[in-house]
Amino acid sequence: MATIRQDDFIASIADALQYISYYHPVDYIRNLSRAYELEQSPAAKDAIAQILINSRLCAEGHRPICQDTGIVNVFLDVGMNVRWESSLSVEDMVNEGVRRAYLHPDNKLRASILADPAGKRTNTRDNTPAVISVRLVPGNNVSIEVAAKGGGSENKAKFVMLNPSDSIVDWVMKTVPTMGAGWCPPGILGIGIGGTAEKAMLLAKQSLMEPIDMQELILRGPASRLEELRIELYDKVNALGIGAQGLGGLTTVLDIKIKDYPTHAASLPLAMIPNCAATRHVHFELDGSGPARFEPPSLDDWPKLTYDTAKARRVRLDTLTPAEVATFKPGEVLLLTGKLLTGRDAAHKRMTDMLARGEKLPVDFTNRVIYYVGPVDPVRDEAVGPAGPTTATRMDKFTRTMLEKTGLIGMIGKAERGPAAIDAIRDNKAVYLMAVGGAAYLVSKAIKAARVLAFEDLGMEAIYEFDVQDMPVTVAVDAGGTSVHITGPREWQAKIGKIPVAVV
């Protein structure tokens, strides 16, 4: 009979969360490196390069892969012969481990969890509580899977109750294009089939913890209907041409994972949850001999890439004008230098409310560019911690007001813009620039200074002013309203040629 001690359990959870904050699973890096070598789309290849460079920097510097350090998911299989030496419940021990990990002074992680989600939405300040699933199983130890799931990919989770005769493939192929690029492909799609509504969702989430093995599966051939389905969906989803960051390309998914469970004769529950370019999870076991040990992976598994800036246009933010913005071309890579404002959901809501009341804003946005970001707190000599973009579509409803009433001429975020935002950008001859989701530490290296200008009470959602030097972005929507998230996937779907391109 194993005795699991409270301190060992808490330390293991904390160490696991620190470990996955800066180490990608090696299977992800190997498969992403393969996708990089095969990619033919210049925009997608550039995005994958940034993700791989960022990952290596994080592995070397022990800083978060993404500024969104996630909501913690913990799956516990507790052996029924285990004895606990603890004054806390299992849930309380998990949350204490989360608290210690996210407040670690050498690698503080961003606290993103809000209590009272339908009301005041108050930040808990330590990223607790975690989402915990516990099973009692035969055995003498505790098996634990720890994951940190970013909001951008979690927000794209989908669920449907199909009729038993409906096609799973048809639903997936209809649904994936509606997810946009806010889930930061290339990643993994987890699919849960059967059970009940909540069981299907849990299966989809658990499937994301499995190793990436699609290339091995293709080589040996499928041995079951589920493996046949995995390969079919892998081929068809990639044939959509969505590509890295939604820019159009050969690789949208590195793997398709599926778990199933018996279900009612009248039902076919189907869940799909994506894992993003900041895939973070680790599995370990406790047998009573002490806390878990996490061995650093070999950096030899990471490709040695450098970011090529030779073809990029350098832009001075401090002298940027609408006339210069009008010369930016869709898909063009820019390197930004100068003073950059920040703001995301809470700041935009507060500013638009102020404008509606006729109040003056605390910041002058005339001919300025705003970056949708909630950075990690800095440590040591950093100006700011990892500071990658957040999903831009959440700011769509504020875009026309900001462009027409503040003098703003540019925005930077992650993934595509919706039709209303594109219309506002075109009508105001502004620009939307895309930074790569999953390259947060690389972006932070371009930030040389940071200070809060307004709304300090909003924490990471406050309005900052960053001094940036050669920050890489891509022109995603130009002043004429052309969106590369529409033109890129359409072009590459046609080039791949396996799926008819819709005429729009």
Side-chain angles (χ1 to χ4, degrees):
M1 177 182 292
T3 299
I4 308 299
R5 290 178 289 275
Q6 175 177 300
D7 289 348
D8 293 343
F9 185 90
I10 292 172
S12 298
I13 296 291
D15 290 348
L17 288 166
Q18 279 285 308
Y19 182 89
I20 64 175
S21 77
Y22 44 74
Y23 287 135
H24 263 123
V26 170
D27 61 306
Y28 180 83
I29 293 301
R30 288 173 179 165
N31 282 270
L32 188 62
S33 299
R34 176 184 179 274
Y36 172 79
E37 295 298 331
L38 296 175
E39 187 56 68
Q40 298 173 29
S41 161
K45 198 174 185 77
D46 178 88
I48 295 173
Q50 289 192 49
I51 295 167
L52 287 168
I53 293 167
N54 179 77
S55 180
R56 188 182 180 97
L57 287 172
C58 294
E60 292 171 338
H62 287 193
R63 289 297 272 145
I65 295 164
C66 181
Q67 81 289 338
D68 182 352
T69 49
I71 184 169
V72 176
N73 291 247
V74 178
F75 297 92
L76 293 162
D77 282 354
V78 180
M80 290 187 289
N81 294 330
V82 165
R83 176 180 176 274
W84 294 93
E85 188 178 285
S86 175
S87 60
L88 300 176
S89 70
V90 170
E91 288 83 358
D92 287 344
M93 285 190 287
V94 168
N95 286 324
E96 178 57 27
V98 172
R99 187 173 294 111
R100 292 184 189 182
Y102 277 72
L103 298 179
H104 196 292
D106 290 331
N107 184 38
K108 190 173 182 182
L109 308 179
R110 197 184 81 183
S112 302
I113 304 306
L114 307 180
D116 191 16
K120 293 182 178 179
R121 295 179 66 83
T122 304
N123 198 300
T124 63
R125 303 291 182 182
D126 57 13
N127 221 59
T128 63
V131 178
I132 305 166
S133 300
V134 181
R135 294 194 313 163
L136 292 177
V137 298
N140 297 300
N141 57 14
V142 180
S143 179
I144 305 167
E145 288 177 321
V146 173
K149 191 70 161 57
S153 61
E154 190 71 1
N155 289 347
K156 301 301 181 179
K158 303 294 181 182
F159 174 79
V160 66
M161 275 289 192
L162 295 179
N163 291 318
S165 60
D166 290 340
S167 167
I168 291 171
V169 172
D170 286 351
W171 180 81
V172 171
M173 295 305 295
K174 178 182 70 175
T175 303
V176 168
T178 70
M179 291 161 54
W183 61 280
C184 285
I188 301 113
L189 290 181
I191 295 174
I193 304 171
T196 54
E198 76 281 7
K199 181 65 174 180
M201 293 298 285
L202 188 63
L203 291 168
K205 181 64 68 66
Q206 286 180 301
S207 74
L208 295 173
M209 307 299 113
E210 296 179 350
I212 298 172
D213 65 351
M214 178 55 68
Q215 300 312 313
E216 292 85 348
L217 173 57
I218 291 171
L219 283 173
R220 68 168 169 80
S224 67
R225 172 56 189 144
L226 282 189
E227 290 186 345
E228 291 175 358
L229 185 58
R230 285 178 60 196
I231 294 173
E232 181 180 2
L233 287 173
Y234 172 80
D235 287 338
K236 289 185 173 180
V237 169
N238 281 327
L240 290 169
I242 294 168
Q245 304 290 301
L247 295 169
L250 298 178
T251 301
T252 303
V253 290
L254 299 175
D255 205 342
I256 301 284
K257 294 299 186 183
I258 304 176
K259 281 183 173 290
D260 68 355
Y261 194 84
T263 193
H264 192 283
S267 302
L268 182 54
L270 180 58
M272 181 166 63
I273 304 177
N275 226 2
C276 63
T279 293
R280 293 164 296 203
H281 60 87
V282 69
H283 172 263
F284 61 95
E285 295 191 358
L286 297 178
D287 59 8
S289 62
R293 305 294 181 196
F294 301 96
E295 293 297 325
S298 170
L299 287 177
D300 290 340
D301 289 306
W302 273 256
K304 293 182 175 66
L305 300 176
T306 56
Y307 190 65
D308 181 10
T309 61
K311 296 181 180 180
R313 185 203 297 205
R314 284 185 157 81
V315 172
R316 298 289 308 184
L317 290 170
D318 299 342
T319 57
L320 187 62
T321 64
E324 185 178 359
V325 164
T327 69
F328 295 167
K329 304 299 183 185
E332 185 177 14
V333 177
L334 311 178
L335 294 175
L336 305 181
T337 296
K339 296 188 183 306
L340 177 67
L341 298 174
T342 80
R344 43 179 283 166
D345 310 62
H348 276 76
K349 176 66 166 62
R350 187 173 292 184
M351 286 189 291
T352 53
D353 286 348
M354 291 176 69
L355 290 169
R357 295 192 297 265
E359 298 173 11
K360 184 179 179 180
L361 297 183
V363 177
D364 183 2
F365 286 90
T366 304
N367 288 350
R368 301 294 297 272
V369 176
I370 192 168
Y371 182 26
Y372 303 148
V373 62
V376 176
D377 287 345
V379 298
R380 298 181 290 279
D381 59 349
E382 293 177 341
V384 69
T390 199
T391 305
T393 50
R394 298 203 311 275
M395 266 53 70
D396 280 6
K397 62 184 178 181
F398 307 116
T399 297
R400 185 170 290 276
T401 297
M402 290 295 294
L403 292 178
E404 294 182 352
K405 293 190 176 183
T406 72
L408 187 73
I409 59 173
M411 300 150 286
I412 304 170
K414 180 180 76 175
E416 73 283 347
R417 304 308 298 263
I422 292 173
D423 288 346
I425 292 167
R426 182 191 61 243
D427 293 346
N428 290 277
K429 301 294 185 280
V431 69
Y432 168 60
L433 310 171
M434 189 209 78
V436 172
Y441 195 38
L442 176 63
V443 170
S444 74
K445 296 292 188 182
I447 302 169
K448 306 305 178 184
R451 63 189 181 107
V452 175
L453 293 187
F455 308 155
E456 187 171 6
D457 61 297
L458 297 180
M460 60 95 173
E461 295 208 56
I463 296 178
Y464 288 77
E465 185 175 70
F466 289 166
D467 284 318
V468 300
Q469 181 177 331
D470 288 345
M471 175 179 168
V473 294
T474 298
V475 179
V477 181
D478 74 349
T482 299
S483 169
V484 298
H485 288 100
I486 296 173
T487 60
R490 183 187 298 158
E491 174 190 350
W492 281 91
Q493 185 175 326
K495 286 182 177 180
I496 295 168
K498 292 183 179 181
I499 298 174
V501 179
V503 177
V504 294

